[in-house]
Amino acid sequence: MQGETTTLGAPILLLGLLLGFFLCFYGYRAKRLFIKIRSAVAGALVATAAALFFHARAQVLAALQTDHQLHELWLVISNPADYSGLLLYLLACSAGALALFFLARNAHPFLDTVVAFFTAVSMDLLIFLLIIPYLPLSVSIIISLTLLVVILAFSLIHFTSYLAIESALAGSLLVSYLLSRFWYLGFWIFFGLWALLAFLGILNQLHMLTHRESDNA
């Protein structure tokens, strides 16, 4: 069982599993902290993607049509010859993270809508990056745009439930990844474990949310 994950040490592996299980089954209980962290990540991702597409659109489109899209995109971002571009990406990432983190700290209906919007867009970007290595570019774009409408509607209508589901998906993914790397599990076992944990986590969190809302009614 000696693998890449074990080189991190048992304490780090244990902490990762504990964090993953907490996010999977009880992530909504840390709603305020989760919203702030998630907002910073969302702002950084969306701002960096916008800067990348604005500054190096041709290179991005070319990278997306290769067989190793993520690797080629990283080469575009980290190109040492494009110093101005690298500086732009760093500034966009920092500014986006700080701006959305600041907005998430202030309770206001309009600001909540802005945070929910960028959170949904960032999730759709992540889904696009995950599926593009396995599907043609045109199909990936169609799927991403379709999912964007669904995710936006759900996040804007009931942001708390959306965060609970996203937390369950992220926590189950972390647990499945760590266990699969530790025991050298195959892709389908990893996928099955992730799907099972995500399903149980979503059911548990939505059940507790419903029970909590009924108690506060």
Side-chain angles (χ1 to χ4, degrees):
M1 294 189 298
Q2 296 298 318
E4 186 178 327
T5 305
T6 58
T7 60
L8 299 175
I12 296 180
L13 176 64
L14 180 59
L15 288 175
L17 291 175
L18 289 175
L19 175 62
F21 278 116
F22 175 79
L23 287 175
C24 183
F25 293 100
Y26 302 100
Y28 89 96
R29 291 186 177 275
K31 176 185 173 182
R32 293 184 179 179
L33 177 61
F34 186 68
I35 287 178
K36 293 176 183 177
I37 296 175
R38 182 65 181 85
S39 299
V41 173
L45 183 60
V46 174
T48 303
L52 183 62
F53 194 76
F54 172 79
H55 181 74
R57 183 180 307 174
Q59 295 93 317
V60 169
L61 293 176
L64 291 177
Q65 298 179 50
T66 64
D67 294 331
H68 305 283
Q69 298 90 345
L70 299 183
H71 177 69
E72 294 297 327
L73 283 175
W74 175 249
L75 291 180
V76 174
I77 295 175
S78 60
N79 183 9
D82 187 11
Y83 178 78
S84 60
L86 183 59
L87 181 61
L88 175 64
Y89 307 146
L90 289 174
L91 289 175
C93 180
S94 302
L98 290 174
L100 215 61
F101 178 81
F102 174 77
L103 293 179
R105 295 182 60 209
N106 297 273
H108 188 278
F110 175 74
L111 297 182
D112 292 343
T113 301
V114 172
V115 172
F117 174 81
F118 279 97
T119 300
V121 172
S122 69
M123 174 54 67
D124 193 67
L125 281 173
L126 287 174
I127 292 174
F128 175 75
L129 293 175
L130 286 174
I131 65 176
I132 194 174
Y134 306 101
L135 298 172
L137 178 59
S138 58
V139 178
S140 300
I141 292 175
I142 292 173
I143 293 176
S144 298
L145 290 177
T146 304
L147 288 176
L148 178 60
V149 175
V150 177
I151 295 172
L152 271 175
F154 189 29
S155 63
L156 292 175
I157 294 173
H158 206 306
F159 190 51
T160 302
S161 296
Y162 170 78
L163 283 178
I165 293 175
E166 187 178 283
S167 172
L169 292 173
S172 60
L173 183 62
L174 178 59
V175 171
S176 302
Y177 174 78
L178 290 175
L179 292 179
S180 63
R181 293 303 296 268
F182 188 75
W183 277 299
Y184 291 97
L185 303 178
F187 171 78
W188 289 111
I189 298 179
F190 156 77
F191 182 81
L193 180 61
W194 170 71
L196 176 62
L197 287 174
F199 176 73
L200 295 175
I202 290 172
L203 283 182
N204 184 70
Q205 294 207 49
L206 291 183
H207 173 73
M208 288 191 294
L209 271 175
T210 304
H211 183 70
R212 183 178 182 180
E213 290 175 356
S214 63
D215 289 342
N216 294 332

